[in-house]
Amino acid sequence: MGTPSYPAPLKRLRAIMLRRWWMVTGLLWLTVAPLSLWSLQPEIDQLRQYFTWATVRLGLAYNRPAALGLGLCVGLTVALLVAESRYMLWGMTHDERLRLERLRDRIAAQGPSHPLWKKINRD
């Protein structure tokens, strides 16, 4: 069962979109995660003295912004890893391929004035 072959512009467009999502994820890890961990500093100090899962749960339950920030970072990272693993195993889904084809057609309709036109149409 080999990996299906896709047109080069679709592969390039998918790689560009994936790279952008990883950049957003990296930016979140560099900005939101440190702020979230900083606001959890008292709980982290308590955990360093005596670790219990109850302390972790309560620390996150009573510090919602920190929990949301860390959840966003972890959730987006896991979602990207699962999506990339699924792509490696089974290829693009039908919906993903249609979405990329529509985007490719919009880029082609706009022509060279679109920022991604040169990257997609290198042939």
Side-chain angles (χ1 to χ4, degrees), residues 11-79:
K11 285 183 181 179
R12 288 187 204 119
L13 189 56
R14 186 184 181 284
I16 290 168
M17 294 306 183
L18 190 65
R19 194 174 310 120
R20 285 184 177 183
W21 273 111
W22 277 112
M23 286 173 40
V24 167
T25 304
L27 186 65
L28 284 174
W29 276 106
L30 291 174
T31 56
V32 174
L35 292 172
S36 298
L37 289 173
W38 185 261
S39 68
L40 287 172
Q41 193 172 7
E43 288 83 2
I44 293 172
D45 290 339
Q46 185 178 3
L47 286 171
R48 292 177 73 192
Q49 292 174 5
Y50 186 73
F51 181 86
T52 64
W53 287 108
T55 307
V56 173
R57 185 177 62 85
L58 289 174
L60 292 174
Y62 289 107
N63 197 341
R64 298 267 170 135
L68 289 173
L70 290 174
L72 179 67
C73 294
V74 171
L76 191 55
T77 303
V78 169

Side-chain angles (χ1 to χ4, degrees), residues 104-115 117:
R104 180 198 59 196
D105 294 343
R106 278 191 306 206
I107 292 169
Q110 187 173 340
S113 63
H114 195 283
W117 191 80

Side-chain angles (χ1 to χ4, degrees), residues 76-98:
L76 191 55
T77 303
V78 169
L80 282 168
L81 290 172
V82 168
E84 189 60 19
S85 299
R86 181 192 40 78
Y87 175 74
M88 287 179 187
L89 292 173
W90 297 295
M92 279 187 227
T93 64
H94 181 68
D95 290 340
E96 183 181 15
R97 185 174 178 147
L98 285 177

